Amino acid sequence: MTDSVKDSGSRVHRGSLEAILGVSVKPEILDLALTHRSYAYEHGGAPHNERLEFLGDSVLGLSMTAELYREYPDHSEGELAKMRSAVVSEVALSKVARELGLGRFIKLGRGEERTGGRDKSSILADTMEAIFGAVYLDQGIEVAEALVLRLIRPLLADPERMSAAHDPKTALQEIAAARQQEPPRYEMTSTGPDHNRVFTATVIVGTLVSATGSGTSKKQAEMAAALEAWTNLNKA
């Protein structure tokens, strides 16, 4: 196996992804973590990353549950559950993945490539979980947990951002009201066949900001757009 991963239309280097992650993973395991089912189906039913995603979801959940339990001894079970839900959500994971530039490393089928799969929140979040699973398989729970905490824990240091990740539409509505703007207005478009439709939402907040987000449902697209708009407003 070569040092690079050939995806649909581009060649990327494993070493650069490992440098970004700060973790080394066996080439065949990392390759599997980056292989979306659309690519696998177009290549004779090759293995894809959904089993690793299933594993990584548990690694992520356990790591963050333990961290919240240790760091917030005075919080109730309900408060801890709400915090965990925010930091392991698709919105939060896809945001982390975008900050890493993960999309360019994913192996996609031609259909997903054409419909913007490299920036689709669901694919980015699922691949992030698959990488956590891959690191666990190759390096064990301590290294996997350290990676999870390094990438996800920063959300805990920003309670407002964490709350926004949990419910970005409400958070955006609140900041719009605080700045005396009209409620956020959403516009929706979609592409692709009915069984594989991608929705793109554009949210407009008065004269302050507009932002877009995509997802496999209208709700996901609106949430992604709302979080992007909220983030941009808080940078202003």
Side-chain angles (χ1 to χ4, degrees):
M1 190 170 293
T2 66
D3 290 335
S4 57
V5 181
K6 180 82 176 288
D7 64 22
S8 52
S10 65
R11 184 173 289 272
V12 295
H13 295 281
R14 278 196 194 88
S16 60
L17 177 57
E18 289 180 326
I20 291 169
L21 296 173
V23 177
S24 295
V25 184
K26 287 186 177 69
E28 61 273 19
I29 299 177
L30 183 57
D31 186 58
L32 181 60
L34 295 169
T35 302
H36 187 257
R37 66 176 179 271
S38 63
Y39 181 93
Y41 291 165
E42 289 183 8
H43 291 76
H48 53 75
N49 65 5
E50 289 185 357
R51 281 171 53 85
L52 280 177
E53 174 199 336
F54 170 77
L55 177 61
D57 177 70
S58 294
V59 173
L60 171 64
L62 175 60
S63 299
M64 292 313 303
T65 298
E67 178 69 4
L68 290 167
Y69 185 86
R70 289 190 296 262
E71 292 298 315
Y72 298 90
D74 297 328
H75 281 43
S76 68
E77 181 272 341
E79 290 171 323
L80 293 174
K82 182 177 179 180
M83 294 172 70
R84 180 181 61 190
S85 177
V87 296
V88 304
S89 69
E90 179 180 300
V91 172
L93 289 176
S94 62
K95 189 70 174 175
V96 169
R98 288 188 181 96
E99 290 169 353
L100 295 174
L102 183 61
R104 70 185 188 272
F105 297 98
I106 302 173
K107 297 170 68 175
L108 293 174
R110 290 185 295 274
E112 285 289 356
E113 190 77 66
R114 285 194 300 268
T115 57
R118 293 191 185 281
D119 195 48
K120 189 185 294 185
S121 294
S122 58
I123 291 177
L124 290 170
D126 291 347
T127 306
M128 198 76 256
E129 290 181 333
I131 286 174
F132 293 147
V135 173
Y136 168 78
L137 277 184
D138 191 46
Q139 299 289 337
I141 187 60
E142 290 186 3
V143 175
E145 182 177 6
L147 177 63
V148 168
L149 295 182
R150 177 159 50 82
L151 295 179
I152 307 299
R153 186 164 49 190
L155 285 173
L156 298 177
D158 188 347
E160 289 187 356
R161 182 177 173 82
M162 185 172 62
S163 177
H166 178 69
D167 188 357
K169 293 183 68 175
T170 297
L172 182 61
Q173 187 169 340
E174 290 174 349
I175 197 172
R179 300 192 184 188
Q180 299 181 328
Q181 297 289 318
E182 293 293 323
R185 176 166 54 89
Y186 294 86
E187 299 173 354
M188 187 72 62
T189 61
S190 63
T191 58
D194 289 342
H195 68 279
N196 193 27
R197 191 164 294 277
V198 178
F199 295 91
T200 299
T202 299
V203 61
I204 301 168
V205 184
T207 60
L208 295 180
V209 70
S210 65
T212 61
S214 62
T216 54
S217 69
K218 293 180 180 179
K219 180 180 179 181
Q220 288 177 353
E222 288 182 347
M223 289 176 65
L227 184 60
E228 184 66 21
W230 183 92
T231 300
N232 291 339
L233 282 173
N234 277 273
K235 290 178 181 177

